[in-house]
């Protein structure tokens, strides 16, 4: 069973930066796809950034492209999300997720079967 644990969420002012960290462990933790998703109160969960981990191919939501960067440390089974120039609309619970298959819709949260408990990011104006 894959276990994912996020950290790094915090309260930050608009224009600031944060780095989120997700550590994967357990059987099958070398998932072919991993990613970051977020959910704000009253809204559906949405993709932020995902990665095909074997080839380091990255995908971004339009709203974060150019501001956020997803990366990984394969040896440490750790996924990162560097968030720069954050804005109040980035306020949400951020989740790390992993998928077992290569045949997925890379930005669709429904295709990811493993989730961490989340880490809160709050951006004030």
């Amino acid at each position: 069973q894959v276990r994912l644990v996020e950290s790094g969420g915090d309260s930050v002012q608009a224009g600031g930066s944060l780095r989120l960290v997700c550590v994967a462990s357990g059987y099958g933790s070398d998932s072919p796809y991993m990613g970051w998703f977020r959910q704000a109160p009253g809204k559906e969960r949405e993709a932020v950034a995902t990665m095909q981990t074997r080839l380091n191919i990255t995908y971004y939501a339009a709203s974060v492209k150019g501001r956020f960067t997803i990366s990984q440390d394969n040896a440490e089974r750790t996924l990162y999300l560097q968030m720069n120039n954050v804005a109040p609309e980035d306020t949400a619970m951020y989740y790390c997720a992993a998928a077992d298959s290569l045949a997925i819709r890379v930005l669709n949260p429904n295709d990811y079967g493993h989730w961490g408990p989340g880490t809160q990011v709050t951006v004030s104006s």
Side-chain angles (χ1 to χ4, degrees):
Q1 180 69 18
V2 177
R3 182 168 179 256
L4 304 170
V5 180
E6 306 96 335
S7 62
D10 205 346
S11 296
V12 63
Q13 287 197 326
S17 297
L18 279 176
R19 189 177 79 154
L20 305 185
V21 181
C22 171
V23 178
S25 62
Y27 178 77
S29 58
D30 55 343
S31 300
Y33 278 99
M34 293 187 69
W36 291 96
F37 295 79
R38 67 187 181 188
Q39 188 166 19
K43 294 190 175 181
E44 291 188 355
R45 192 168 296 190
E46 63 177 6
V48 176
T50 64
M51 169 181 280
Q52 205 272 51
T53 59
R54 292 165 190 175
L55 297 178
N56 268 318
I57 300 171
T58 58
Y59 306 88
Y60 293 93
S63 59
V64 306
K65 210 166 189 178
R67 301 188 298 124
F68 294 6
T69 303
I70 187 172
S71 62
Q72 65 174 338
D73 181 332
N74 258 333
E76 298 295 327
R77 294 187 175 175
T78 302
L79 190 73
Y80 301 97
L81 183 70
Q82 179 65 42
M83 306 169 62
N84 295 331
N85 193 23
V86 296
E89 51 265 35
D90 295 320
T91 294
M93 184 70 79
Y94 282 70
Y95 298 92
C96 176
D100 293 328
S101 171
L102 278 169
I104 66 167
R105 295 162 293 181
V106 297
L107 293 176
N108 191 319
N110 294 321
D111 287 3
Y112 289 76
H114 306 284
W115 293 85
T119 186
Q120 177 69 37
V121 172
T122 302
V123 183
S124 57
S125 56

